[in-house]
Amino acid sequence: MARGDREKVSQAPAQVAEKPADVRNVVVVGHAGSGKTTLVEALLAATGTIGRAGAVTEGTTVTDHDPAAVKQQRSVALACAPLTHDGVKVNLLDTPGYADFVGELRAGLRAADAALFVVSAWDGMDAATATLWEECAAVGMPRAVAITRLDHPRADFDEALALCQRVFGEEIQPLYLPMHGDDGHSVEGLIGLISQQVYDYSGGYPPQVREPDPEHLPAIEESRGELIEGIIAESEDETLMDRYLAGEAIDSQVLVDDLEKAVARGHFHPVVPVCAETGVGLDALLELLTRAFPTPLEHPLPAVTGVDGSPRDALTCDPDGPLVAEVVKTTIDPYVGRVSLVRVFSGTLRPDTPVHISGHGLAERGHPDHDADERVTHIYSPLGANLREVGKCIAGDICAVTKSTAAETGDTISAKDKPLLVAPWTMPEPLLPVAVVPKTRSDEDALAKNLAKLVAGDPTLRLERNPETHQLVLWCMGEAHADVVLDRLRAGGVELSTEPAKVALREAFAAPAAGQGRHVKQSGGHGQYAVCAIQLEPLPRGAGIEFVDKIVGGAIPHNYIPSVEKGVRAQAERGIVAGYPVVDFRVTLVDGKAHSVDSSDAAFQTAGSMALKDAAEKAQITLLEPVDEVVITVPDSAVGAVMSDLSGRRGRVLGSESDPAGGDRTQVRAEVPAIELLRYLVDLRSMTAGAGTFTREFARYEPMPGHLADQARKEHTTSR
């Protein structure tokens, strides 16, 4: 969207919620191509929030405002799109459908009280969507399903519904059936199963309501019975089922009331057919969002502590309570600077308010602990990238604040005089390393500045400056995530290239050896004189470096012996054959010589270094590689392929078991060399259609195969 367009939209009035009961926070999820963003755009247009719906392919939608998203023709960031229907403010949180941007999805789940799953009527869903449904079920998040893209030539609502019921469970029941036009394909309306009325959109949106045609009655009778039984099964009225089975007609309003309660509790999951392009089902979906989805008062709030970790009372969604809010997303806007999307859990956030910003417990994500006092000068209602100023944001609502110098994704905003800390949400670890190389010295400065901004807003991006491989490594969630990060860096004026990430190895002695270091220089004036002899022996893995002094008779003055040790350790740190640290050996200093004038601390450090290199020439040096223990979670159908692939990666399978989280998935435990895991994330997703995940943890170092060790030595020699 052009800047002028943004300014026009930002002038549109924004509703300010007065009480939490008038707010609904809904995260919109589904695989890429399911029609999430198109649906959100249609809902905004249907409620008059925007003048007309934009197009995803043209990059003109409210939520697709990121230049990187437009370039790659994909949604890559969480976006908030509030609308108002029947006096209720609905904050729609549009999430990316690609696995690489799971951080944006997690942020949306954190800010929401319910989830709308979007499933395409012609290409179904992916395995990641099915897994996400199970995760939402585990925490009791209310869910509903919108089956979209009914206008596609190969759309099949019945098949899509059957798929949802197979994957999501028997609690999935449609509230409406699509009504096809005379051509037998186009969808011109909906058939309400509770109301038993037809909603005809052939004349446009909103629909005309009329009685069903005779040919609709068999479909209504067949599907309505299953729906009513599903609703009654969740009813608090235990007599309702007996009355229904006895043939009593249940009043439609009773069914609607029980339906809304069951949906809000997360016990029943309705399905609504929707066609965003024609408007079919939009009003039905809006009614579901506003009447059946829970208010912030009904959704459990995260735990809270003092900044020092001390216990605090549980939060309540009270606008008059203590201020507690969370930064669920931070972005950098080219026009207004840093923009933080904030969910207020308790209290009321007002303009010109001093607040405390706390970020603790996120160090492993690349966010060091930090605290700061700031003043919130303006509060906005975000409509994608467009900001509309408002006078307050109450508990349960979502807003945006700008120009904070400290706020990062995951931070807590609380009262300055009563600082608190919200427990962080679970975030997956980035597993794809990308080494970046700035082209010039000026690019190094620009890179550091831009990376700081990106890391502040993206907890799934981890920055590592590896002192052993001398690489700047970005750990990303996948190739698409890496592409977007690099595009954003280049858009910030950084010229850079990438290179394969390296794994830090270790060097070790394979056998005992003796070595001598002789550093003698006489060139007039003060010279250099130091001689030392050592005995070296390998130690078990993890033993470290030991230094033993067995000098007798004062062959080396006592004050120079620590210098020999310092030289040995310094050379071990620099490496000998491949530039990696030498580990796990014992050095015994057995003899040496000194000069009363020319010996010095520096001379004996040099001699100690030379002695270690001399011993290395006489003994075999083994290269050690790190081995990680991995836990791979995959669909049961992919277990064979994954195990076969592990053997090709020099992996050792330790065992397998059913996924403790449930579902038709298996966890495979294995030990795999870290070098073989550099691109494993990409390959695993390819093998499992995007459904496979894994975690890794360092286990130990093991000797590297000879041909790989020779290659590492050659690379070191070439780079010198």
Side-chain angles (χ1 to χ4, degrees):
M1 185 177 292
R3 181 179 183 183
D5 293 335
R6 285 213 302 269
E7 290 172 345
K8 290 177 183 178
V9 175
S10 65
Q11 295 172 4
Q15 182 194 27
V16 178
E18 296 295 336
K19 54 183 184 292
D22 292 336
V23 178
R24 306 291 186 273
N25 297 308
V26 181
V27 61
V28 185
V29 300
H31 74 275
S34 61
K36 298 185 305 299
T37 299
T38 302
L39 177 60
V40 170
E41 199 78 4
L43 291 171
L44 293 174
T47 54
T49 308
I50 59 177
R52 64 180 181 85
V56 174
T57 55
E58 299 172 2
T60 57
T61 63
V62 168
T63 56
D64 274 339
H65 59 272
D66 192 323
V70 175
K71 177 180 179 181
Q72 299 199 19
Q73 295 187 342
R74 68 182 76 185
S75 176
V76 301
L78 173 71
C80 182
L83 56 84
T84 303
H85 180 71
D86 284 348
V88 176
K89 180 183 180 184
V90 181
N91 292 311
L92 295 175
L93 295 156
D94 188 15
T95 62
Y98 293 86
D100 286 14
F101 306 105
V102 66
E104 309 289 333
L105 172 61
R106 299 293 177 189
L109 290 170
R110 177 67 160 205
D113 303 314
L116 178 65
F117 280 71
V118 179
V119 177
S120 170
W122 75 275
D123 62 352
M125 73 179 79
D126 61 359
T129 302
T131 301
L132 180 61
W133 180 276
E134 295 172 1
E135 292 181 13
C136 290
V139 298
M141 176 172 277
R143 286 145 284 153
V145 179
I147 295 182
T148 60
R149 310 196 69 178
L150 299 175
D151 57 335
H152 192 278
R154 295 200 300 272
D156 189 331
F157 174 80
D158 293 337
E159 176 57 32
L161 175 62
L163 173 64
C164 291
Q165 291 174 331
R166 288 196 305 270
V167 176
F168 295 157
E170 296 180 355
E171 299 85 3
I172 308 298
Q173 292 290 339
L175 300 183
Y176 304 85
L177 298 177
M179 182 182 71
H180 296 282
D182 294 336
D183 59 3
H185 170 71
S186 62
V187 176
E188 295 184 350
L190 298 181
I191 303 171
L193 296 180
I194 293 181
S195 65
Q196 302 185 76
Q197 291 182 314
V198 166
Y199 302 84
D200 192 339
Y201 296 80
S202 59
Y205 181 90
Q208 297 294 319
V209 182
R210 60 178 175 82
E211 294 300 315
D213 299 328
E215 62 266 23
H216 299 148
L217 298 179
I220 293 177
E221 182 178 357
E222 178 182 356
S223 299
R224 189 171 191 268
E226 295 180 4
L227 174 61
I228 292 177
E229 290 180 11
I231 295 174
I232 292 177
E234 300 297 336
S235 175
E236 296 177 348
D237 186 348
E238 297 180 357
T239 68
L240 203 57
M241 181 63 77
D242 293 335
R243 290 158 51 194
Y244 173 72
L245 294 177
E248 180 181 336
I250 307 300
D251 184 77
S252 295
Q253 189 56 50
V254 172
L255 294 174
V256 170
D257 291 343
D258 283 343
L259 168 69
E260 292 173 356
K261 292 177 183 178
V263 173
R265 292 196 301 263
H267 296 166
F268 187 81
H269 314 296
V271 177
V272 177
V274 183
C275 181
E277 287 77 5
T278 62
V280 171
L282 293 180
D283 54 326
L285 184 57
L286 286 167
E287 183 179 17
L288 175 67
L289 297 179
T290 54
R291 295 185 57 181
F293 271 177
T295 72
L297 297 168
E298 302 170 83
H299 192 69
L301 300 181
V304 66
T305 66
V307 175
D308 59 356
S310 56
R312 292 290 189 275
D313 293 337
L315 295 177
T316 58
C317 186
D318 182 4
D320 297 322
L323 176 62
V324 179
E326 186 172 38
V327 179
V328 295
K329 178 63 182 174
T330 297
T331 57
I332 306 299
D333 186 277
Y335 304 108
V336 298
R338 183 175 293 196
V339 179
S340 296
L341 187 66
V342 176
R343 164 72 191 262
V344 180
F345 291 118
S346 173
T348 300
L349 187 61
R350 303 180 187 275
D352 202 31
T353 302
V355 298
H356 183 82
I357 298 176
S358 301
H360 291 248
L362 304 175
E364 62 183 16
R365 303 186 199 169
H367 297 249
D369 289 355
H370 55 275
D371 290 276
D373 291 329
E374 292 189 348
R375 182 176 294 273
V376 175
T377 55
H378 299 280
I379 299 175
Y380 301 92
S381 174
L383 181 56
N386 313 295
L387 303 178
R388 302 167 295 173
E389 191 163 359
V390 294
K392 64 180 179 181
C393 184
I394 65 169
D397 205 354
I398 296 173
C399 66
V401 298
T402 60
K403 300 180 180 179
S404 169
T405 59
E408 299 181 359
T409 300
D411 283 2
T412 301
I413 299 176
S414 57
K416 181 179 178 180
D417 57 342
K418 294 182 179 179
L420 297 171
L421 188 66
V422 175
W425 68 86
T426 302
M427 193 67 70
E429 188 72 15
L431 295 169
L432 180 67
V434 179
V436 296
V437 182
K439 289 191 175 181
T440 66
R441 183 59 181 270
S442 62
D443 287 320
E444 290 184 13
D445 298 335
L447 179 62
K449 180 179 179 181
N450 282 275
L451 278 175
K453 295 178 180 179
L454 291 180
V455 173
D458 188 351
T460 63
L461 176 65
R462 182 160 57 87
L463 176 63
E464 174 187 293
R465 298 181 184 274
N466 194 312
E468 297 180 26
T469 63
H470 308 291
Q471 286 185 314
L472 179 64
V473 181
L474 301 178
W475 287 85
C476 305
M477 298 302 299
E479 288 184 305
H481 186 208
D483 290 343
V484 167
V485 170
L486 295 176
D487 285 343
R488 288 173 176 165
L489 290 173
R490 293 182 177 113
V494 182
E495 292 290 331
L496 55 82
S497 59
T498 63
E499 63 182 15
K502 300 177 182 178
V503 172
L505 307 179
R506 295 290 184 266
E507 301 177 13
F509 286 91
Q516 185 180 60
R518 179 180 177 84
H519 183 56
V520 178
K521 289 187 177 181
Q522 297 291 340
S523 56
H526 188 68
Q528 297 288 323
Y529 191 96
V531 179
C532 64
I534 62 172
Q535 295 287 341
L536 185 145
E537 55 185 311
L539 294 177
R541 297 287 171 259
I545 300 175
E546 296 181 11
F547 185 86
V548 180
D549 171 23
K550 287 194 175 181
I551 291 294
V552 294
I556 297 178
H558 182 73
N559 59 305
Y560 289 140
I561 291 176
S563 302
V564 176
E565 180 180 2
K566 190 174 181 179
V568 168
R569 290 184 179 275
Q571 184 60 52
E573 185 67 25
R574 291 191 296 269
I576 297 175
V577 299
Y580 295 103
V582 188
V583 297
D584 303 333
F585 64 91
R586 178 186 293 121
V587 167
T588 303
L589 181 61
V590 295
D591 199 3
K593 294 181 181 179
H595 190 278
S596 59
V597 176
D598 293 339
S599 291
S600 64
D601 173 77
F604 272 99
Q605 285 189 43
T606 302
S609 171
M610 296 171 66
L612 187 66
K613 289 191 288 185
D614 182 53
E617 292 179 358
K618 302 171 183 176
Q620 180 182 359
I621 294 290
T622 300
L623 287 186
L624 306 177
E625 62 178 342
V627 175
D628 290 355
E629 182 172 337
V630 298
V631 178
I632 310 161
T633 304
V634 297
D636 293 343
S637 59
V639 171
V642 168
M643 287 189 173
S644 176
D645 178 75
L646 287 173
S647 64
R649 296 176 185 272
R650 301 185 286 127
R652 291 189 294 273
V653 176
L654 303 178
S656 63
E657 61 183 4
S658 298
D659 184 5
D664 298 327
R665 294 189 302 273
T666 297
Q667 285 190 344
V668 178
R669 292 186 302 110
E671 291 181 341
V672 186
I675 289 177
E676 304 290 346
L677 295 175
L678 291 176
R679 299 276 302 174
Y680 186 59
L681 178 66
V682 177
D683 297 337
L684 178 63
R685 286 180 179 171
S686 177
M687 284 185 288
T688 61
T693 61
F694 77 100
T695 60
R696 58 188 293 180
E697 183 177 353
F698 172 76
R700 61 185 174 277
Y701 282 94
E702 289 187 354
M704 197 176 211
H707 67 286
L708 295 178
D710 291 341
Q711 181 179 343
R713 293 187 181 97
K714 290 178 182 178
E715 291 176 354
H716 174 65
T717 302
T718 303
S719 63
R720 293 171 62 178

